[in-house]
Amino acid sequence: MKWLEVIMVRSAGSNVNILAKTLQDLMADVAERDGSDNIRIFYRENIETDICIVLFHSEEKAKTGGSPLGLRIVAALKEVGLVHHTIWNEMAQ
């Protein structure tokens, strides 16, 4: 079984530049430290300050509360908006 983390951020329109800079810095850090193959970033159609970051994990068991990377991303994004962080486990087939 695999699991994933979903981190959704809702930022005010006035924070769009701060949000973009924060995401750029985070992704540069992730690429340098962890590799970025298992991360996808989405934005909501017509609302560029609503962001969804999905981290895919191949371990069998999810980490309680999220991965160190996910928690690091959540902490950084709390500075720019409302953050919702959830853990999802793959259903057995």
Side-chain angles (χ1 to χ4, degrees):
M1 180 186 329
K2 297 179 181 182
W3 62 286
L4 58 89
E5 291 176 85
V6 177
I7 302 167
M8 296 188 304
V9 182
R10 173 162 284 175
S11 184
S14 61
N15 286 343
V16 70
N17 293 331
I18 297 168
L19 179 59
K21 175 72 170 128
T22 301
L23 285 171
Q24 287 173 349
D25 292 347
L26 277 171
M27 292 303 100
D29 182 48
V30 166
E32 193 174 292
R33 297 169 99 182
D34 306 299
S36 58
D37 291 343
N38 296 320
I39 299 175
R40 302 288 184 272
I41 301 176
F42 303 88
Y43 65 91
R44 189 168 168 185
E45 183 69 25
N46 298 322
I47 305 175
E48 59 187 18
T49 55
D50 279 10
I51 302 293
C52 179
I53 302 169
V54 182
L55 287 77
F56 298 89
H57 300 284
S58 59
E59 295 100 4
E60 291 295 318
K61 186 168 170 49
K63 292 185 166 80
T64 303
S67 69
L69 174 59
L71 295 172
R72 199 166 77 229
I73 291 171
V74 167
L77 292 174
K78 282 185 177 180
E79 302 291 323
V80 296
L82 300 173
V83 179
H84 183 68
H85 182 205
T86 56
I87 309 300
W88 296 80
N89 291 303
E90 184 177 35
M91 293 182 77
Q93 297 180 5

